[in-house]
Amino acid sequence: MTLRVVVADDQELVRAGFGMILDAQPDIEVVAEANDGAEAVAAVREHRPDVLLLDIRMPTMNGIEAARIVCAETDCRVLMLTTFDLDDYVYDALRAGASGFLLKDVRRDDLVHAVRVVAAGESLLAPSVTRKLIAEFTSRTVTRPVTPPAGRLSVLTVREQETLQMIARGLSNAEIAEAMVLSEHTVKTHVSNVLTKLGLRDRVQAVVAAYETGLAVPGGAVPGGSV
């Protein structure tokens, strides 16, 4: 199956470069390019791609607003582009529904791999990236309203809440299985249940939800104990 991709970046050379790299792959087709967020949204509506490669900072409509619209209206997966590894807008982009992010100086092979991973329904953030990202950005959101865990998370079983806590720490399924003394298959089931019950697209949104509800807090501690 050929993966359909839209590339959106206001820098023509960056946009063209990413497009050429992706179009050269036998299983990827760049169906459109856009130079701002509004054009990106229009391109997704017209072409219905599998993945939108989207710069965070663009004129007319920024990438965060574009991601919010695309994720709300379609099943297209959004992969954000940023210049800095701790861009001020990354956390907001993930909250908008993005499945991960890449630095603009990403290597060719990593770009291609990222598009394939996101298209397959996985989140892009590796455990080490998740830890750094969440530690940085949740510390900047302490003034955001927090939904009590007993409310939004009451639909989860105790085991599922424990699983969500570990996802928030950036642990892989294998690491969660080892920590909880469970099989990876059982952990996958718990993860799937967490996403389904909370109406989340992927593990990235699960991490955000864990911090926004107060189930997990920056630094690795959780209310009522530690993880």
Side-chain angles (χ1 to χ4, degrees):
M1 183 186 74
T2 300
L3 302 179
R4 294 162 55 82
V5 179
V6 167
V7 179
D9 195 297
D10 61 321
Q11 297 180 355
E12 183 178 0
L13 289 179
V14 173
R15 187 173 68 244
F18 284 159
M20 290 177 61
I21 292 172
L22 295 174
D23 241 352
Q25 307 306 310
D27 59 334
I28 298 176
E29 176 187 5
V30 176
V31 296
E33 295 183 5
N35 61 22
D36 62 46
E39 287 189 8
V41 172
V44 169
R45 287 170 174 166
E46 178 180 354
H47 297 281
R48 295 290 171 174
D50 301 293
V51 176
L52 169 61
L53 191 61
L54 181 64
D55 186 19
I56 287 184
R57 302 182 182 186
M58 292 188 294
T60 307
M61 177 190 292
N62 65 37
I64 296 172
E65 182 59 29
R68 188 174 292 115
I69 294 171
V70 167
C71 292
E73 292 185 359
T74 75
D75 293 328
C76 177
R77 312 284 292 185
V78 176
L79 185 55
M80 306 299 301
L81 292 168
T82 179
T83 305
F84 307 105
D85 62 348
L86 286 179
D87 192 298
D88 288 344
Y89 297 104
V90 170
Y91 183 74
D92 286 336
L94 296 180
R95 293 183 70 247
S99 296
F101 73 99
L102 287 174
L103 299 183
K104 286 191 176 182
D105 62 358
V106 63
R107 296 185 306 172
R108 178 190 303 260
D109 291 346
D110 290 339
L111 170 66
V112 174
H113 174 71
V115 169
R116 289 172 178 154
V117 166
V118 168
E122 300 294 331
S123 57
L124 181 66
L125 303 184
S128 60
V129 177
T130 302
R131 294 185 186 106
K132 184 168 73 168
L133 179 72
I134 294 302
E136 174 70 17
F137 287 95
T138 55
S139 66
R140 302 182 186 185
T141 60
V142 292
T143 60
R144 295 181 187 272
V146 174
T147 303
R152 183 181 177 188
L153 302 185
S154 61
V155 296
L156 302 181
T157 66
V158 173
R159 274 299 201 186
E160 288 164 356
Q161 289 195 29
E162 291 175 353
T163 300
L164 180 54
Q165 288 176 343
M166 294 188 183
I167 292 174
R169 289 174 55 196
L171 299 187
S172 66
N173 283 354
E175 291 170 328
I176 294 174
E178 181 178 359
M180 297 178 68
V181 195
L182 298 171
S183 69
E184 281 194 56
H185 175 76
T186 299
V187 170
K188 288 180 181 179
T189 298
H190 287 331
V191 172
S192 177
N193 289 342
V194 168
L195 299 181
T196 300
K197 290 181 178 181
L198 296 182
L200 306 173
R201 292 167 66 98
D202 51 37
R203 293 172 77 99
V204 173
Q205 286 200 328
V207 171
V208 174
Y211 281 89
E212 289 190 329
T213 57
L215 184 68
V217 296
V222 295
S226 60
V227 296

